[in-house]
Coordinates of all heavy atoms in Angstrom, one line a residue:
G1 N -4.4 228.2 232.4 CA -4.0 226.9 232.1 C -5.1 225.9 232.3 O -6.2 226.3 232.7
K2 N -4.8 224.7 232.0 CA -5.8 223.6 232.2 C -5.1 222.3 232.7 O -4.0 222.1 232.3 CB -6.8 223.4 231.0 CG -6.2 222.5 229.9 CD -7.3 222.4 228.9 CE -6.6 221.8 227.7 NZ -7.4 221.6 226.6
I3 N -5.8 221.6 233.4 CA -5.3 220.3 233.9 C -5.2 219.3 232.9 O -6.1 219.0 232.2 CB -6.1 219.8 235.1 CG1 -6.2 220.8 236.3 CG2 -5.7 218.4 235.6 CD1 -7.1 220.5 237.4
L4 N -4.0 218.7 232.8 CA -3.8 217.5 231.8 C -4.0 216.2 232.5 O -4.6 215.3 232.0 CB -2.4 217.6 231.2 CG -2.1 218.6 230.2 CD1 -0.7 218.5 229.8 CD2 -3.0 218.4 229.0
S5 N -3.4 216.0 233.7 CA -3.6 214.8 234.5 C -3.4 215.0 235.9 O -2.9 215.9 236.4 CB -2.5 213.8 234.0 OG -1.2 214.2 234.3
I6 N -4.0 214.0 236.7 CA -3.9 214.1 238.1 C -3.5 212.7 238.6 O -4.1 211.6 238.2 CB -5.3 214.4 238.8 CG1 -5.8 215.8 238.2 CG2 -5.2 214.4 240.3 CD1 -7.3 216.0 238.6
A7 N -2.5 212.7 239.5 CA -2.0 211.4 240.0 C -1.4 211.6 241.4 O -0.4 212.3 241.5 CB -0.9 210.8 239.1
D8 N -2.0 211.1 242.4 CA -1.5 211.1 243.7 C -1.2 212.5 244.3 O -0.2 212.7 244.9 CB -0.3 210.2 243.9 CG -0.6 208.7 243.6 OD1 -1.7 208.3 243.9 OD2 0.3 208.0 243.1
G9 N -2.1 213.4 244.0 CA -1.9 214.8 244.5 C -1.0 215.7 243.6 O -0.7 216.8 244.0
V10 N -0.4 215.1 242.6 CA 0.5 215.8 241.7 C -0.3 216.1 240.4 O -0.8 215.1 239.8 CB 1.8 215.1 241.4 CG1 2.6 215.8 240.4 CG2 2.6 214.9 242.7
I11 N -0.4 217.3 240.0 CA -1.2 217.7 238.9 C -0.3 218.3 237.8 O 0.5 219.2 238.1 CB -2.3 218.7 239.3 CG1 -3.2 218.1 240.3 CG2 -3.1 219.2 238.1 CD1 -4.3 219.0 240.9
T12 N -0.5 217.8 236.6 CA 0.3 218.3 235.5 C -0.6 219.2 234.7 O -1.8 219.0 234.4 CB 0.6 217.2 234.5 OG1 1.4 216.2 235.2 CG2 1.5 217.7 233.3
V13 N -0.1 220.5 234.5 CA -0.9 221.6 234.0 C -0.2 222.1 232.7 O 1.0 222.2 232.6 CB -0.9 222.7 235.0 CG1 -1.7 223.9 234.4 CG2 -1.6 222.3 236.3
E14 N -1.0 222.4 231.7 CA -0.4 223.1 230.5 C -1.0 224.5 230.3 O -2.2 224.7 230.8 CB -0.7 222.2 229.2 CG -2.1 222.3 228.8 CD -2.3 221.6 227.5 OE1 -1.4 221.3 226.7 OE2 -3.6 221.4 227.1
G15 N -0.3 225.4 229.7 CA -0.9 226.7 229.3 C -0.6 227.8 230.3 O -0.9 228.9 230.1
L16 N 0.2 227.5 231.4 CA 0.6 228.5 232.3 C 2.0 229.0 231.9 O 2.9 228.3 232.2 CB 0.6 228.0 233.8 CG -0.7 228.0 234.5 CD1 -0.6 227.5 235.9 CD2 -1.5 229.2 234.5
T17 N 2.1 230.1 231.4 CA 3.4 230.6 230.9 C 3.9 231.6 232.0 O 3.2 232.2 232.7 CB 3.3 231.4 229.6 OG1 2.4 232.5 229.7 CG2 2.9 230.4 228.5
Q18 N 5.2 231.7 232.1 CA 5.9 232.6 233.0 C 5.6 232.3 234.5 O 5.7 233.2 235.3 CB 5.4 234.1 232.7 CG 5.6 234.5 231.3 CD 7.1 234.6 230.8 OE1 8.0 234.9 231.7 NE2 7.4 234.2 229.7
V19 N 5.1 231.2 234.8 CA 4.9 230.8 236.2 C 6.3 230.5 236.9 O 7.1 230.0 236.3 CB 3.9 229.6 236.4 CG1 4.6 228.3 235.9 CG2 3.5 229.5 237.8
S20 N 6.4 230.8 238.1 CA 7.6 230.7 238.9 C 7.5 229.4 239.7 O 6.5 229.1 240.2 CB 8.0 231.9 239.8 OG 8.0 233.0 239.0
A21 N 8.7 228.9 240.0 CA 8.8 227.7 240.9 C 8.5 228.2 242.3 O 9.0 229.2 242.7 CB 10.1 227.0 240.9
G22 N 7.6 227.6 243.1 CA 7.2 228.0 244.4 C 6.0 229.0 244.4 O 5.6 229.5 245.4
E23 N 5.5 229.2 243.2 CA 4.3 230.2 243.2 C 3.0 229.4 243.5 O 2.8 228.3 243.1 CB 4.2 230.8 241.7 CG 3.1 231.8 241.6 CD 3.2 232.5 240.2 OE1 4.2 232.5 239.6 OE2 2.1 232.9 239.8
K24 N 2.1 230.1 244.1 CA 0.8 229.5 244.5 C -0.1 229.6 243.3 O -0.2 230.6 242.6 CB 0.2 230.3 245.7 CG -1.0 229.7 246.3 CD -1.4 230.2 247.6 CE -1.5 231.7 247.6 NZ -2.2 232.2 248.8
V25 N -0.7 228.5 243.0 CA -1.6 228.4 241.8 C -3.1 228.0 242.3 O -3.2 227.5 243.4 CB -1.3 227.4 240.7 CG1 0.1 227.8 240.0 CG2 -1.0 226.0 241.3
I26 N -4.1 228.4 241.5 CA -5.4 228.2 241.9 C -6.1 227.3 241.0 O -6.1 227.6 239.8 CB -6.2 229.6 242.0 CG1 -5.4 230.5 243.0 CG2 -7.6 229.4 242.5 CD1 -5.9 232.0 242.8
F27 N -6.7 226.2 241.5 CA -7.5 225.3 240.6 C -8.9 225.5 240.9 O -9.4 225.6 242.0 CB -7.1 223.8 241.1 CG -5.7 223.4 240.9 CD1 -4.9 223.5 242.0 CD2 -5.2 223.0 239.7 CE1 -3.5 223.2 241.9 CE2 -3.9 222.7 239.5 CZ -3.0 222.8 240.7
V28 N -9.7 225.7 239.7 CA -11.1 225.9 239.8 C -11.9 224.7 239.2 O -11.6 224.3 238.0 CB -11.5 227.2 238.9 CG1 -13.0 227.4 239.0 CG2 -10.7 228.4 239.5
S29 N -12.7 224.1 239.9 CA -13.5 222.9 239.6 C -14.7 223.4 238.7 O -15.4 224.3 239.2 CB -13.9 222.2 240.7 OG -14.8 221.1 240.3
K30 N -14.8 222.8 237.5 CA -16.0 223.2 236.7 C -17.3 222.6 237.3 O -18.3 223.2 237.2 CB -15.8 222.6 235.3 CG -14.8 223.3 234.5 CD -14.7 222.7 233.1 CE -13.6 223.3 232.2 NZ -13.5 222.7 230.9
S31 N -17.2 221.5 237.9 CA -18.4 220.8 238.4 C -19.0 221.4 239.6 O -20.2 221.5 239.8 CB -18.2 219.3 238.6 OG -17.1 219.1 239.5
S32 N -18.1 221.8 240.5 CA -18.6 222.3 241.8 C -18.3 223.8 242.1 O -18.7 224.3 243.1 CB -17.9 221.5 243.0 OG -16.5 221.8 243.0
N33 N -17.7 224.4 241.1 CA -17.3 225.9 241.2 C -16.6 226.3 242.4 O -16.6 227.3 243.0 CB -18.6 226.7 241.1 CG -19.2 226.8 239.7 OD1 -18.5 226.6 238.7 ND2 -20.5 226.9 239.6
E34 N -15.8 225.3 243.0 CA -15.0 225.5 244.2 C -13.6 225.7 243.7 O -13.2 225.3 242.6 CB -15.0 224.3 245.1 CG -16.3 224.1 245.8 CD -16.2 223.0 246.8 OE1 -15.4 223.2 247.8 OE2 -17.0 222.1 246.8
H35 N -12.7 226.4 244.5 CA -11.3 226.6 244.1 C -10.4 225.9 245.2 O -10.8 225.9 246.4 CB -11.0 228.1 243.9 CG -11.1 228.9 245.1 ND1 -12.3 229.4 245.7 CD2 -10.1 229.2 246.0 CE1 -12.0 230.0 246.8 NE2 -10.8 230.0 247.0
F36 N -9.3 225.5 244.7 CA -8.3 224.8 245.6 C -7.0 225.4 245.3 O -6.7 225.9 244.2 CB -8.3 223.3 245.3 CG -9.6 222.7 245.5 CD1 -10.5 222.4 244.4 CD2 -10.1 222.2 246.7 CE1 -11.7 221.9 244.6 CE2 -11.2 221.6 246.9 CZ -12.1 221.5 245.8
F37 N -6.1 225.4 246.3 CA -4.7 225.9 246.1 C -3.7 224.8 245.8 O -3.9 223.7 246.3 CB -4.3 226.8 247.3 CG -5.1 228.0 247.5 CD1 -6.1 228.1 248.4 CD2 -4.9 229.1 246.7 CE1 -6.9 229.2 248.6 CE2 -5.6 230.2 246.8 CZ -6.6 230.3 247.8
G38 N -2.6 225.2 245.2 CA -1.5 224.3 244.9 C -0.3 225.1 244.8 O -0.2 226.3 244.9
L39 N 0.9 224.3 244.6 CA 2.2 224.9 244.5 C 2.9 224.4 243.3 O 3.0 223.2 243.1 CB 2.9 224.5 245.8 CG 4.4 225.0 245.8 CD1 4.4 226.6 246.0 CD2 5.1 224.4 247.1
A40 N 3.3 225.4 242.5 CA 4.1 225.0 241.3 C 5.5 224.6 241.6 O 6.2 225.4 242.3 CB 4.1 226.2 240.3
L41 N 5.9 223.4 241.3 CA 7.1 222.9 241.6 C 8.1 222.6 240.4 O 9.0 223.3 240.2 CB 7.1 221.6 242.4 CG 6.5 221.7 243.8 CD1 6.4 220.4 244.5 CD2 7.3 222.7 244.7
N42 N 7.7 221.7 239.6 CA 8.6 221.3 238.4 C 8.1 222.0 237.2 O 6.9 221.9 236.7 CB 8.5 219.8 238.1 CG 9.1 219.0 239.3 OD1 9.9 219.5 240.0 ND2 8.6 217.8 239.4
I43 N 8.9 222.9 236.6 CA 8.6 223.6 235.4 C 9.3 223.1 234.2 O 10.5 223.0 234.2 CB 8.9 225.1 235.6 CG1 8.2 225.6 236.8 CG2 8.6 225.9 234.4 CD1 8.6 227.0 237.2
Y44 N 8.5 222.6 233.2 CA 9.1 222.1 232.0 C 8.8 223.1 230.9 O 8.2 224.1 231.1 CB 8.5 220.7 231.7 CG 8.7 219.7 232.9 CD1 7.7 219.3 233.7 CD2 10.0 219.2 233.1 CE1 7.9 218.4 234.7 CE2 10.2 218.3 234.1 CZ 9.2 217.9 234.9 OH 9.4 217.1 236.0
H45 N 9.1 222.7 229.7 CA 9.0 223.6 228.6 C 7.5 223.9 228.3 O 7.1 225.1 228.1 CB 9.6 223.0 227.2 CG 9.5 223.9 226.1 ND1 10.0 225.2 226.0 CD2 8.9 223.7 224.8 CE1 9.7 225.7 224.8 NE2 9.1 224.7 224.1
S46 N 6.6 222.9 228.2 CA 5.2 223.2 227.9 C 4.3 222.8 229.1 O 3.1 223.1 228.9 CB 4.8 222.4 226.6 OG 5.0 221.0 226.9
T47 N 4.8 222.2 230.1 CA 3.9 221.8 231.2 C 4.6 222.2 232.6 O 5.8 222.5 232.6 CB 3.6 220.3 231.2 OG1 4.8 219.6 231.4 CG2 2.8 220.0 230.0
I48 N 3.8 222.2 233.6 CA 4.4 222.3 235.0 C 3.7 221.2 235.8 O 2.6 220.8 235.5 CB 4.1 223.7 235.6 CG1 2.6 224.0 235.8 CG2 4.8 224.8 234.8 CD1 2.4 225.2 236.5
S49 N 4.4 220.8 236.9 CA 3.8 219.9 237.9 C 3.5 220.6 239.2 O 4.4 221.4 239.6 CB 4.8 218.7 238.2 OG 5.0 218.0 237.0
C50 N 2.3 220.5 239.7 CA 1.9 221.2 240.9 C 1.5 220.2 241.9 O 1.0 219.1 241.6 CB 0.7 222.0 240.6 SG 1.0 223.3 239.4
V51 N 1.7 220.5 243.2 CA 1.3 219.8 244.3 C -0.1 220.4 244.8 O -0.1 221.7 245.0 CB 2.3 219.7 245.5 CG1 1.7 219.0 246.7 CG2 3.6 219.1 245.0
L52 N -1.1 219.6 245.0 CA -2.4 220.1 245.4 C -2.5 220.1 246.9 O -2.2 219.1 247.5 CB -3.5 219.2 244.8 CG -4.9 219.6 245.1 CD1 -5.3 220.9 244.6 CD2 -5.8 218.5 244.6
F53 N -3.0 221.3 247.4 CA -3.3 221.4 248.9 C -4.8 221.1 249.0 O -5.5 222.2 249.2 CB -2.8 222.7 249.4 CG -1.4 223.0 249.3 CD1 -0.9 224.2 248.9 CD2 -0.4 222.0 249.5 CE1 0.3 224.5 248.8 CE2 0.9 222.3 249.4 CZ 1.3 223.6 249.0
G54 N -5.2 220.0 249.0 CA -6.6 219.7 249.1 C -7.0 218.3 248.5 O -6.1 217.5 248.2
N55 N -8.2 218.1 248.4 CA -8.7 216.8 247.9 C -8.8 216.7 246.4 O -9.5 217.6 245.8 CB -10.0 216.4 248.6 CG -10.4 214.9 248.4 OD1 -9.9 214.3 247.5 ND2 -11.2 214.5 249.4
E56 N -8.2 215.8 245.8 CA -8.2 215.8 244.3 C -9.4 215.2 243.7 O -9.6 215.4 242.5 CB -7.0 215.0 243.8 CG -7.0 213.5 244.1 CD -5.7 212.8 243.7 OE1 -4.6 213.4 243.9 OE2 -5.9 211.7 243.3
R57 N -10.4 214.7 244.5 CA -11.5 214.1 243.9 C -12.5 215.1 243.3 O -13.3 214.8 242.5 CB -12.3 213.2 245.0 CG -12.9 214.1 246.0 CD -13.6 213.1 247.0 NE -14.1 214.0 248.0 CZ -15.0 213.6 248.9 NH1 -15.5 212.4 248.9 NH2 -15.4 214.4 249.9
F58 N -12.4 216.4 243.7 CA -13.2 217.4 243.1 C -12.7 218.0 241.8 O -13.4 218.8 241.1 CB -13.4 218.5 244.1 CG -14.0 218.1 245.4 CD1 -13.4 218.1 246.6 CD2 -15.4 217.8 245.4 CE1 -13.9 217.7 247.8 CE2 -16.0 217.4 246.6 CZ -15.2 217.3 247.8
L59 N -11.5 217.7 241.4 CA -10.9 218.2 240.2 C -10.8 217.1 239.2 O -10.7 215.9 239.5 CB -9.5 218.7 240.5 CG -9.4 219.9 241.4 CD1 -7.9 220.2 241.8 CD2 -10.1 221.1 240.8
K60 N -10.8 217.5 237.9 CA -10.7 216.5 236.8 C -10.0 217.1 235.6 O -9.7 218.3 235.6 CB -12.0 216.0 236.4 CG -13.0 217.0 235.9 CD -14.3 216.3 235.5 CE -15.3 217.3 234.9 NZ -16.1 218.0 235.8
E61 N -9.6 216.3 234.7 CA -8.9 216.8 233.5 C -9.7 217.9 232.8 O -10.9 217.7 232.6 CB -8.6 215.7 232.6 CG -7.5 214.7 233.1 CD -7.3 213.5 232.2 OE1 -7.8 213.6 231.0 OE2 -6.6 212.6 232.6
G62 N -9.1 219.0 232.4 CA -9.7 220.0 231.7 C -10.2 221.2 232.6 O -10.6 222.2 232.1
D63 N -10.1 221.0 233.9 CA -10.5 222.1 234.8 C -9.4 223.3 234.7 O -8.3 223.0 234.3 CB -10.5 221.6 236.3 CG -11.8 220.8 236.5 OD1 -12.8 221.0 235.7 OD2 -11.9 220.3 237.6
L64 N -9.8 224.4 235.0 CA -9.0 225.6 234.8 C -8.0 225.8 236.0 O -8.3 225.5 237.1 CB -9.8 226.9 234.6 CG -10.7 226.9 233.4 CD1 -11.5 228.1 233.4 CD2 -9.9 226.7 232.1
V65 N -6.8 226.4 235.6 CA -5.8 226.7 236.6 C -5.3 228.1 236.4 O -5.1 228.6 235.2 CB -4.6 225.8 236.5 CG1 -3.5 226.0 237.5 CG2 -5.0 224.3 236.5
Y66 N -5.2 228.9 237.5 CA -4.7 230.3 237.4 C -3.5 230.5 238.2 O -3.3 229.9 239.2 CB -5.9 231.3 237.8 CG -7.1 231.2 237.0 CD1 -8.2 230.4 237.5 CD2 -7.3 231.9 235.9 CE1 -9.4 230.3 236.8 CE2 -8.4 231.8 235.1 CZ -9.5 231.0 235.6 OH -10.6 231.0 234.8
R67 N -2.7 231.5 237.8 CA -1.6 232.0 238.6 C -2.1 232.9 239.7 O -3.0 233.6 239.5 CB -0.6 232.8 237.7 CG 0.1 232.0 236.7 CD 1.0 232.8 235.9 NE 2.1 233.4 236.8 CZ 3.0 234.3 236.5 NH1 3.0 234.8 235.2 NH2 3.9 234.7 237.3
S68 N -1.4 232.9 240.8 CA -1.8 233.9 241.9 C -0.8 235.1 241.9 O -1.1 236.1 242.6 CB -1.8 233.2 243.2 OG -0.5 232.8 243.6
F69 N 0.3 234.9 241.2 CA 1.3 235.9 241.1 C 2.0 236.2 242.5 O 2.5 237.3 242.8 CB 0.8 237.3 240.5 CG 0.4 237.1 239.1 CD1 -0.9 236.9 238.8 CD2 1.4 237.2 238.1 CE1 -1.2 236.7 237.4 CE2 1.0 237.1 236.7 CZ -0.3 236.8 236.4
E70 N 1.9 235.2 243.4 CA 2.6 235.4 244.7 C 3.2 234.0 245.1 O 2.7 233.0 244.9 CB 1.7 235.8 245.8 CG 0.4 235.0 246.0 CD -0.5 235.5 247.0 OE1 -0.8 236.8 246.9 OE2 -1.0 234.8 247.9
L71 N 4.4 234.1 245.7 CA 5.1 232.9 246.2 C 4.4 232.5 247.5 O 3.9 233.3 248.2 CB 6.5 233.2 246.4 CG 7.4 233.5 245.2 CD1 8.8 233.9 245.5 CD2 7.4 232.4 244.2
L72 N 4.4 231.2 247.7 CA 3.9 230.6 248.9 C 4.7 231.1 250.1 O 5.9 230.9 250.1 CB 3.9 229.1 248.8 CG 3.2 228.4 250.0 CD1 1.7 228.8 249.9 CD2 3.4 226.9 250.0
S73 N 4.1 231.8 251.1 CA 4.8 232.3 252.2 C 3.9 232.2 253.4 O 2.6 232.2 253.2 CB 5.3 233.7 252.0 OG 4.2 234.6 251.8
L74 N 4.5 232.3 254.6 CA 3.8 232.3 255.8 C 4.4 233.3 256.8 O 5.6 233.0 257.1 CB 3.7 230.9 256.4 CG 3.1 230.7 257.7 CD1 1.6 231.0 257.7 CD2 3.3 229.3 258.2
G75 N 3.7 234.2 257.2 CA 4.3 235.2 258.2 C 4.2 234.5 259.6 O 3.2 233.9 260.0
V76 N 5.3 234.6 260.4 CA 5.3 234.0 261.7 C 5.6 235.0 262.7 O 6.2 236.1 262.4 CB 6.4 232.9 261.7 CG1 6.1 231.8 260.8 CG2 7.8 233.4 261.4
G77 N 5.3 234.8 263.9 CA 5.5 235.7 265.1 C 4.9 235.1 266.3 O 4.4 234.0 266.4
F78 N 4.9 236.0 267.4 CA 4.3 235.5 268.6 C 2.8 235.2 268.5 O 2.2 234.5 269.3 CB 4.5 236.5 269.7 CG 6.0 236.5 270.2 CD1 6.8 237.5 269.9 CD2 6.4 235.4 270.9 CE1 8.1 237.5 270.3 CE2 7.8 235.4 271.4 CZ 8.6 236.4 271.1
S79 N 2.1 235.9 267.5 CA 0.7 235.6 267.4 C 0.3 234.2 266.9 O -0.8 233.7 267.2 CB 0.1 236.6 266.4 OG 0.7 236.4 265.1
L80 N 1.3 233.5 266.3 CA 1.1 232.1 265.9 C 1.5 231.0 267.0 O 1.4 229.9 266.9 CB 1.8 231.8 264.6 CG 1.2 232.4 263.4 CD1 2.1 232.0 262.2 CD2 -0.2 231.8 263.2
L81 N 2.2 231.5 268.1 CA 2.7 230.6 269.1 C 1.6 229.8 269.7 O 0.6 230.4 270.3 CB 3.5 231.5 270.1 CG 4.3 230.7 271.1 CD1 5.4 229.8 270.3 CD2 5.0 231.5 272.1
G82 N 1.6 228.5 269.7 CA 0.6 227.7 270.2 C -0.6 227.4 269.4 O -1.5 226.8 269.8
R83 N -0.6 227.9 268.2 CA -1.8 227.8 267.3 C -1.6 226.7 266.3 O -0.5 226.2 266.0 CB -2.0 229.1 266.4 CG -2.1 230.3 267.2 CD -3.5 230.6 267.7 NE -3.5 231.8 268.5 CZ -4.6 232.5 268.6 NH1 -5.6 232.2 267.9 NH2 -4.6 233.6 269.3
V84 N -2.7 226.1 265.8 CA -2.6 225.1 264.9 C -2.9 225.7 263.5 O -3.8 226.5 263.3 CB -3.8 224.0 265.0 CG1 -3.8 223.0 263.9 CG2 -3.6 223.3 266.4
V85 N -1.9 225.5 262.5 CA -1.9 226.2 261.2 C -1.9 225.1 260.1 O -1.1 224.2 260.3 CB -0.7 227.1 261.1 CG1 -0.7 227.9 259.8 CG2 -0.7 228.1 262.2
N86 N -2.7 225.3 259.1 CA -2.7 224.3 258.0 C -1.6 224.7 257.0 O -0.8 225.6 257.2 CB -4.0 224.1 257.3 CG -4.4 225.3 256.5 OD1 -3.7 226.3 256.4 ND2 -5.7 225.2 256.1
V87 N -1.5 224.0 255.9 CA -0.4 224.2 255.0 C -0.5 225.6 254.4 O 0.5 226.1 254.0 CB -0.5 223.1 253.8 CG1 0.5 223.3 252.8 CG2 -0.5 221.7 254.4
L88 N -1.7 226.1 254.2 CA -1.8 227.5 253.6 C -1.7 228.6 254.6 O -1.9 229.8 254.3 CB -3.2 227.5 252.9 CG -3.3 226.6 251.7 CD1 -4.7 226.7 251.2 CD2 -2.3 226.9 250.6
G89 N -1.4 228.3 255.9 CA -1.3 229.3 256.9 C -2.6 229.8 257.5 O -2.7 230.8 258.1
E90 N -3.7 229.0 257.3 CA -5.0 229.4 257.8 C -5.1 228.9 259.2 O -4.7 227.8 259.5 CB -6.1 228.9 256.9 CG -6.1 229.4 255.5 CD -7.0 228.7 254.5 OE1 -7.3 227.5 254.8 OE2 -7.4 229.3 253.5

C-alpha cells in the first residue's frame, strides 16, 4: 500500500487488502530508506487508519506500507520483570 495522509501520528493508507485489525504494519521511507512500525486499527472499504510507533517526520505521502502478517503481541514472563520495554517489546 501507500500513505495517503499523516496527521498527529495517525496514518491513512490505501492499497492494503486483507489486512486485519491489530496487525503490525511496516512503513518504508523513500527518502531515508528507514522502516517504522505501526498498528492497523480502523479498517474501511478502501483505506485503513494506522497508529505510527515512531516519529512521523521521516514519512511522507506516497511512501510504501507493507503487511507483516502478524498481530501485535508481547511475550511476558519473569525475564521481563524489572525491565524497561518500549511499545514494540524491545
Side-chain angles (χ1 to χ4, degrees):
K2 83 178 165 181
I3 296 176
L4 285 180
S5 65
I6 303 172
D8 296 329
V10 177
I11 300 178
T12 304
V13 176
E14 74 172 349
L16 283 183
T17 58
Q18 306 293 324
V19 68
S20 302
E23 185 174 334
K24 191 165 53 169
V25 293
I26 304 165
F27 299 97
V28 179
S29 172
K30 289 180 184 177
S31 59
S32 65
N33 289 329
E34 291 187 59
H35 67 278
F36 303 93
F37 293 104
L39 180 66
L41 290 179
N42 297 332
I43 301 174
Y44 303 107
H45 180 61
S46 60
T47 62
I48 63 170
S49 294
C50 303
V51 174
L52 177 64
F53 300 138
N55 197 335
E56 65 187 41
R57 69 180 177 162
F58 297 110
L59 296 173
K60 60 180 184 272
E61 294 177 6
D63 284 347
L64 297 178
V65 184
Y66 298 98
R67 294 180 63 187
S68 68
F69 295 96
E70 59 185 41
L71 295 177
L72 186 67
S73 63
L74 175 65
V76 295
F78 285 107
S79 61
L80 285 180
L81 192 60
R83 306 274 177 151
V84 176
V85 182
N86 70 6
V87 181
L88 296 174
E90 299 170 336

